[in-house]
Amino acid sequence: MEKRLLTIQDISCVGKCSTTVALPLISACGIECAVLPSSVLSNHTASGYSGWTFRDLTGDMLSIMNQWLKEKIDFDAFYTGYVSKAQIPLILEIIEKTSRKNAITIVDPVMADNGKLYAGFDSDFPQEMKKLVRKADVIMPNLTEASLLLGIEYKETYTKEEIEDIAKKLRELGAKNVILTGVSFDQKMLGIAVSDGSNFEYYFTEKIPVSFHGTGDVFASVVAGSLLQGKSLIEAGTIACDIVVESIKATVGDDTYWYGVKFEKAIPALLQRIYQIFTSL
């Protein structure tokens, strides 16, 4: 039976983020990608657009699940992104009722960056997100999100000892494996810290001094697809970091692409990495 992943996050109809990133990248990894939209927006909410439409789909989630149960539709993996507080208990129910044997849950606890919660999230949202983190096989927080989950102060710089302590405490919340993003120990390199409880590994790429919307979604989607193709945590994180860098490099210099990265240009590189997975079987 082919592996099937369900991604649960919003759809921004225009703008390179969330489901419009996850669906093509996970598919490129050779994994069937089903979607459960948490909401639908005309476009993403980053600065540059004058506004957006928004429709909350919380009320549809359980009826969709119930139809899946009638059709005997189930999943090998669940990958969550931007969701609301009210949706978290529904997501936990959906995971419980539609999981195949040994299904895994991959959580990108999207809620904050640069030391602040995203607009629209209340201060108690991290406490609710903990309920999803507690059930996760893999979580992929940035350092702001990690700080909020742990109730500790966010800092601009960290030592290795502090990073490893954060990862340890995140696992104590219940997450089996942690990929911390946005880790840096100098101004030239940026990367990830990976912990499975037994090992602690790092991977760094060159730090490109630009900021683009949606790179976290590119990273998380490639991690999800790579893990389902049998890659280890550090291997999946390494591929994802490299694809993010390729996407950024393909975008830098094009002023018309202020709303996201050209991840499509990096798909050939992703296919090459996945092809190596296939030929190793």
Side-chain angles (χ1 to χ4, degrees), residues 11 57 165 204 236 269:
I11 295 177
L57 297 179
D165 186 57
F204 295 96

Side-chain angles (χ1 to χ4, degrees), residues 255-266:
D255 293 337
T256 68
Y257 244 78
W258 51 268
Y259 55 89
V261 289
K262 299 180 183 181
F263 70 84
E264 300 91 344
K265 302 296 184 183

